[in-house]
Amino acid sequence: MSVTNVHKDFDSLTITLVADFDAPAERVWQLWADPRQLERWWGPPSHPATVEEHDLTPGGEVTYFMTGPDGEKYRGWWRVTSVNPPKSLEFTDGFANQDGTPIAEMPTTRVRMQLTEHDGGTRMELRGVFDSREQMEQLMNMGAAEGLQQAVGQMDALLAG
Amino acid sequence: MVVDALTDEAVDHVFHALADATRRDILRRCLRGEPSVSRLAEAYPMSFAAVQKHVAVLERAGLVTKERRGREQLVRTDSDAVRRARQILDQLETAWRGRVDRMSHLLAQVPDPEENNPTRGQDR
């Protein structure tokens, strides 16, 4: 198992995943930088990805679609914000309509991928932050507050009883 | 946990659980994330066993649940918002774990010189 650590923070809707690969950083980088390799792992086996645009430069875009078992297509996009081969890549990942335009109501994820040398192989750290938009932001701001409120509410109810 | 349905014994458990500053702090940390018992133990100047005991008290009061994840024991609390956030992040975790597995699989294969041509992607 190459995933060595996963950490989730419900307050900031952030997930950090660490994976160790027995391969040099250059090789791991190619999995992201070569669209033909990218499409071999991005989508699950039931929904393989086809990468169309693939411009890994700041401001550049990656567009792709995943094809489901019934032939239905799910489109997605990345907007690249930072590229530093073979060390780091940052982009926003989102969903698109059938014509390729981003769907505004769907949550986007800001992704930062970092590669470092580790034990003769490569450690990949992936951090994903949900770009909350209204509902997601609300959801999260409420998260801790609501939880605490619930706990305090329980105490109040008990004290009143 | 429904307050109305609490028995006297359950009420005692909750009061006892919340009467301690360390346990209230553990509860706060669980509302923000899902720390493992060992991560919690690092946060307090006390033994792992002592922290484990505090968690057990919170668990008996129904304020947290423990879930085994690999070698770790995660301590969780439940509220609707936290549950929904957890679902979203769990989905992302599942997707990424799948991706990492496929990446490992690709890396384990003998590189195909044609596929490994770094210039190919930039030509498009």
Side-chain angles (χ1 to χ4, degrees):
Chain A
M1 197 64 186
S2 48
V3 173
T4 51
N5 189 30
V6 178
H7 178 69
K8 286 178 261 187
D9 186 306
F10 303 133
D11 260 349
S12 55
L13 267 187
T14 301
I15 179 170
T16 311
L17 182 145
V18 176
D20 290 326
F21 296 117
D22 187 18
E26 283 287 352
R27 180 89 206 284
V28 179
W29 179 260
Q30 281 309 313
L31 294 179
W32 295 84
D34 177 350
R36 299 288 80 79
Q37 293 191 46
L38 173 63
E39 56 195 16
R40 292 180 64 185
W41 62 266
W42 182 256
S46 58
H47 292 71
T50 305
V51 177
E52 295 178 311
E53 297 289 318
H54 189 272
D55 177 14
L56 283 198
T57 56
E61 286 216 336
V62 172
T63 58
Y64 62 89
F65 60 87
M66 297 196 281
T67 309
D70 300 326
E72 69 277 28
K73 288 184 165 68
Y74 303 94
R75 293 185 175 273
W77 50 270
W78 299 356
R79 197 168 45 243
V80 178
T81 45
S82 163
V83 192
N84 184 14
K87 291 197 172 95
S88 68
L89 174 67
E90 291 183 36
F91 59 93
T92 302
D93 177 28
F95 298 93
N97 292 307
Q98 288 307 321
D99 64 0
T101 53
I103 305 177
E105 309 85 62
M106 294 289 272
T108 56
T109 320
R110 272 174 293 140
V111 180
R112 186 189 66 187
M113 192 280 294
Q114 281 183 309
L115 300 177
T116 48
E117 225 186 282
H118 181 77
D119 271 352
T122 303
R123 169 160 286 183
M124 180 174 77
E125 189 187 291
L126 269 173
R127 190 192 60 180
V129 184
F130 271 96
D131 203 7
S132 1
R133 313 270 169 134
E134 299 99 44
Q135 337 98 299
M136 298 296 260
E137 197 145 45
Q138 243 175 351
L139 166 75
M140 250 1 264
N141 289 342
M142 283 165 50
E146 204 179 80
L148 270 175
Q149 231 171 4
Q150 205 183 38
V152 172
Q154 277 170 359
M155 292 171 80
D156 283 346
L158 290 171
L159 292 168
Chain B
M1 179 158 130
V2 183
V3 174
D4 295 345
L6 289 178
T7 62
D8 280 352
E9 200 194 349
V11 171
D12 285 345
H13 282 319
V14 173
F15 266 108
H16 176 59
L18 295 173
D20 180 271
T22 302
R23 287 198 288 272
R24 286 198 298 274
D25 195 63
I26 290 175
L27 192 59
R28 264 193 294 275
R29 286 170 195 265
C30 296
L31 289 167
R32 288 204 312 264
E34 46 185 22
S36 62
V37 178
S38 33
R39 194 180 276 258
L40 285 170
E42 286 165 15
Y44 305 106
M46 55 181 80
S47 68
F48 182 85
V51 170
Q52 215 167 16
K53 222 174 261 179
H54 280 310
V55 171
V57 173
L58 288 166
E59 199 181 8
R60 201 159 50 231
L63 293 167
V64 302
T65 56
K66 274 192 295 192
E67 191 191 299
R68 184 157 280 286
R69 177 80 60 89
R71 253 181 292 172
E72 290 192 318
Q73 281 217 301
L74 302 182
V75 187
R76 307 174 139 183
T77 186
D78 255 350
S79 80
D80 281 351
V82 169
R83 207 165 23 236
R84 272 183 295 169
R86 183 181 297 141
Q87 274 171 2
I88 293 162
L89 292 179
D90 282 353
Q91 279 172 15
L92 193 60
E93 181 186 350
T94 305
W96 277 1
R97 280 184 180 274
R99 283 173 184 157
V100 167
D101 283 350
R102 294 190 289 277
M103 291 173 92
S104 297
H105 186 71
L106 284 173
L107 291 170
Q109 293 175 358
V110 180
D112 178 337
E114 207 178 309
E115 273 174 352
N116 212 20
N117 181 353
T119 59
R120 196 168 155 187
Q122 273 122 48
D123 291 342
R124 287 168 60 92

